[in-house]
Amino acid sequence: MRSPSGYNLQPWRFIVLQDLASKEKLAECAFNQRQVVEAPVVLICCGDRRAAESENIEAVIQLGKELGAVNDAFADYMRQAIPQLFENRPCFESLETWTNRHTMLAVAHLAIAAKSFGVDSCPMEGFVGDRVKAAFNIPETVDVCCLLPLGYAAEPMKQYGGRFDLAQVYYSESYGEELQLDF
Ligand SMILES: Cc1cc2nc3c(=O)[nH]c(=O)nc-3n(C[C@H](O)[C@H](O)[C@H](O)COP(=O)(O)O)c2cc1C
């Protein structure tokens, strides 16, 4: 919930599944992957594409005003700049890309916060979005970004597959330029 977002628009929404019947229904939309029914809690992590609609903009303004973070001038700027950003889309292809960017950042924070309480999680993209939406009354304007089973893993679900070297994923000053670190 405290994850950052552009203009503080907070598009993430989570459906918390604890009932076995709900988890079984979800598993049918997720290739019957066993962690969906085995985990005590599963989150359906959604991104609401209506984040840039005036109703949400006004809610964010109201929130900021209550905390003294938004004054009238900044509120007016937001009312003008946010719709413009979503019209021009200089840094994202589609509304779906934008909601996914923000929701997955929130999910990443959530997974790390969960781990700090000793709770394991397993982000999942192995699901059929339209089926999940139909089964859980998710509006057309809301995307399912991932599923997140949460619980106490008895053992690692799979063997650690390793990660690329730092040199493969970090560049210096320009894409593809080697980053040299002096330790
Ligand atoms: C966005 C995303 C979607 C994933 N989807 C699935 C999935 O549907 N099923 C699955 O078994 N693992 C999936 N994984 C991988 C597992 O979550 C993986 O076990 C986890 O990332 C831990 O891997 P590690 O041992 O390499 O750290 C996904 C990972 C991410 C980040």
Side-chain angles (χ1 to χ4, degrees):
M1 289 165 68
R2 295 220 186 157
S3 194
S5 55
Y7 287 108
N8 201 23
L9 289 170
Q10 307 172 58
W12 45 77
R13 301 289 183 270
F14 300 94
I15 307 175
V16 182
L17 305 186
Q18 299 178 85
D19 292 347
L20 182 59
S22 304
K23 290 184 272 180
E24 283 173 344
K25 189 165 69 167
L26 182 61
E28 284 174 22
C29 312
F31 308 101
N32 290 308
Q33 294 189 68
R34 68 182 175 93
Q35 62 271 32
V36 176
V37 278
E38 287 180 3
V41 177
V42 183
L43 303 183
I44 303 177
C45 306
C46 304
D48 194 333
R49 279 182 265 121
R50 293 168 297 192
E53 288 183 7
S54 61
E55 198 179 322
N56 194 54
I57 296 174
E58 292 306 322
V60 171
I61 288 172
Q62 184 60 29
L63 195 62
K65 280 193 167 174
E66 281 164 20
L67 294 169
V70 173
N71 60 22
D72 286 342
F74 191 59
D76 283 342
Y77 170 75
M78 287 169 75
R79 289 186 184 103
Q80 171 246 315
I82 296 171
Q84 217 170 61
L85 169 71
F86 283 85
E87 206 177 300
N88 297 334
R89 298 176 190 174
C91 54
F92 51 90
E93 291 277 324
S94 67
L95 265 179
E96 191 184 352
T97 314
W98 185 88
T99 52
N100 191 58
R101 169 186 294 168
H102 290 84
T103 303
M104 291 309 292
L105 185 58
V107 170
H109 282 104
L110 199 160
I112 292 168
K115 192 64 188 174
S116 78
F117 289 102
V119 175
D120 298 297
S121 61
C122 174
M124 291 175 57
E125 61 185 345
F127 61 89
V128 181
D130 287 345
R131 290 185 62 186
V132 177
K133 286 176 73 160
F136 293 91
N137 295 322
I138 299 171
E140 195 280 316
T141 47
V142 173
D143 299 318
V144 180
C145 299
C146 78
L147 309 179
L148 193 73
L150 292 153
Y152 299 93
E155 57 194 37
M157 203 179 82
K158 344 175 168 157
Q159 202 180 327
Y160 177 61
R163 295 292 188 268
F164 293 136
D165 285 342
L166 182 142
Q168 200 165 341
V169 295
Y170 277 88
Y171 303 129
S172 174
E173 313 305 338
S174 167
Y175 197 92
E177 294 299 321
E178 188 182 347
L179 173 69
Q180 287 185 336
L181 294 174
D182 304 317
F183 289 119

